[in-house]
Amino acid sequence: MLSSPILVSLALLISLPLVLFLSQQLLPQFTFPFSPDADDLALFHRATTHTTTHLSTLTNPKPKIAFLFLTNTNLTFAPLWEKFFTGNNHLFNIYIHADPTTSVVSPGGVFHNRFISSKPTQRASPSLISAARRLLASALLDDPLNQYFALVSQHCVPLLSFRFVYNYLFKNQLMSLASFSDFNLLYPSFIEILSEDPNLYERYNARGENVMLPEVPFEDFRVGSQFFILNRKHAKVVVRDYKLWKKFRIPCVNLDSCYPEEHYFPTLLSMEDLNGCTGFTLTRVNWTGCWDGHPHLYTPEEVSPELIRQLRVSNSSYSYLFARKFSPECLAPLMDIADDVIFRD
């Protein structure tokens, strides 16, 4: 006959699966969607420690622009972008982070097989920062010739031809392999960095009063457009960061003031290398008549050659290269003026 301790042990082993099943069904399910998952950390580590091995085998390689599409809907303007990219395959790469809960369909063409491993995104949460960091890390790892990294959304459209954009960023200089070592000294990042905003203090305390301390003092807190063009050095700064990220990943308690994606990147790069940034974004956004934190949404009736020319003009010495936000219905009128206006510099 089995002794009592053995019987008790057997009973516990037999009942353990039932206990686990019931706990999953009856207990609250707690998730931590903004913690640094192991796969993200592994990706970021590889992106910042991976050494370039094959550049020396290339003859006079040309730098590339990595276009990072961050989306939670289908890429409505894919036909316009396809026309933008045509004939320049050796000068760009595309990477798409599509929210896996929204069933985004690949538009094919230059976008075929360009989707990276993605996770759900949500407005007013650190998930948008995580998505941008995955895009940057994937592009860093994929091709050492990626020297600029342009973050755009499904609502963004180009305002000029690819050749104009490429020459504008690289200043018409044909770079040789040797000049890549000096790239970051010559070519700045285009990211908006603002220290004056009437809502800045409220946004600073969106996670709670003084929660950002000591890593991010209020005097170092910045705001800027979510959309940027970073050089390779700054892309690595973003991907390897954990010091500021551990603060920005904390969920907000005041959702009305929670826009982490508009603060993390300008704050980090302002603290790390302000002189290496222009302080301007090259993506035009119209905040006239904005509502609930959303910019003006252009409709088909507004699309015209005059609009495109107006959107290119900046108050600074820089021209806008892209613009948002356009409704999906704008595709047809934009395609109508693509050859004669948008891509005719």
Side-chain angles (χ1 to χ4, degrees):
M1 181 177 293
L2 296 175
S3 64
S4 295
I6 295 176
L7 284 173
V8 171
S9 299
L10 286 173
L12 287 173
L13 287 173
I14 293 171
S15 61
L16 183 59
L18 179 61
V19 171
L20 291 174
F21 173 78
L22 290 175
S23 67
Q24 293 176 352
Q25 301 299 314
L26 300 177
L27 294 179
Q29 299 299 301
F30 295 100
T31 59
F32 302 91
F34 310 128
S35 61
D37 295 329
D39 53 347
D40 277 350
L41 291 178
L43 172 65
F44 299 159
H45 179 73
R46 292 198 309 273
T48 54
T49 59
H50 179 72
T51 56
T52 302
T53 58
H54 69 269
L55 272 180
S56 59
T57 66
L58 301 176
T59 303
N60 192 27
K62 300 295 190 299
K64 296 181 181 180
I65 305 172
F67 286 84
L68 317 177
F69 285 83
L70 176 57
T71 184
N72 58 6
T73 64
N74 288 333
L75 298 176
T76 304
F77 299 108
L80 185 66
W81 284 103
E82 185 90 33
K83 187 180 285 285
F84 171 80
F85 288 122
T86 296
N88 301 287
N89 289 355
H90 61 301
L91 299 176
F92 72 90
N93 285 305
I94 293 173
Y95 308 88
I96 306 169
H97 186 290
D99 188 323
T101 67
T102 57
S103 302
V104 174
V105 178
S106 172
V110 294
F111 298 95
H112 176 68
N113 202 31
R114 302 312 300 166
F115 287 74
I116 70 167
S117 179
S118 304
K119 297 180 183 180
T121 54
Q122 182 181 349
R123 185 168 178 253
S125 81
S127 62
L128 291 174
I129 300 174
S130 295
R133 296 179 83 199
R134 285 185 209 107
L135 282 164
L136 288 168
S138 299
L140 284 167
L141 273 173
D142 181 58
D143 193 338
L145 292 178
N146 288 334
Q147 296 296 312
Y148 263 130
F149 302 78
L151 183 67
V152 294
S153 79
Q154 73 272 35
H155 301 293
C156 286
V157 301
L159 296 175
L160 295 147
S161 71
F162 179 89
R163 283 290 177 173
F164 183 97
V165 171
Y166 187 88
N167 292 333
Y168 187 91
L169 292 177
F170 295 113
K171 299 179 175 64
N172 290 303
Q173 297 184 24
L174 297 177
M175 299 177 63
S176 66
L177 175 63
S179 66
F180 276 143
S181 62
D182 299 323
F183 178 88
N184 296 302
L185 299 177
L186 298 172
Y187 297 97
S189 289
F190 296 89
I191 176 170
E192 189 174 47
I193 300 176
L194 304 174
S195 58
E196 300 294 332
D197 186 281
N199 301 313
L200 202 61
Y201 189 73
E202 185 178 356
R203 289 186 176 203
Y204 177 74
N205 289 316
R207 294 158 194 81
E209 189 171 0
N210 296 325
V211 167
M212 301 298 286
L213 293 174
E215 288 81 0
V216 187
F218 175 69
E219 55 267 25
D220 291 334
F221 192 62
R222 298 292 183 266
V223 65
S225 170
Q226 176 187 357
F227 301 97
F228 50 68
I229 300 179
L230 302 185
N231 63 33
R232 193 172 182 91
K233 171 188 174 182
H234 290 155
K236 287 187 175 183
V237 167
V238 169
V239 169
R240 73 163 61 98
D241 169 63
Y242 181 72
K243 179 181 176 182
L244 267 64
W245 168 237
K246 72 179 182 180
K247 291 296 185 178
F248 278 92
R249 79 179 190 217
I250 299 173
C252 294
V253 294
N254 182 2
L255 295 182
D256 291 335
S257 302
C258 188
Y259 301 94
E261 71 281 2
E262 295 181 4
H263 296 279
Y264 172 74
F265 301 103
T267 299
L268 173 62
L269 292 178
S270 174
M271 295 176 71
E272 291 288 334
D273 186 19
L274 178 61
N275 291 333
C277 304
T278 64
F280 296 94
T281 178
L282 300 183
T283 299
R284 178 72 175 266
V285 182
N286 181 1
W287 289 104
T288 304
C290 65
W291 61 276
D292 193 27
H294 294 285
H296 177 76
L297 182 67
Y298 291 104
T299 61
E301 294 75 21
E302 295 176 272
V303 175
S304 68
E306 291 73 23
L307 175 65
I308 299 301
R309 297 186 184 105
Q310 290 171 7
L311 292 176
R312 292 170 179 168
V313 178
S314 168
N315 290 329
S316 73
S317 58
Y318 303 101
S319 299
Y320 288 113
L321 305 181
F322 314 105
R324 63 185 291 268
K325 210 175 177 182
F326 285 81
S327 67
E329 296 78 18
C330 289
L331 176 60
L334 285 169
M335 291 294 286
D336 288 341
I337 62 174
D339 292 330
D340 295 332
V341 179
I342 299 177
F343 302 135
R344 176 169 291 181
D345 309 322

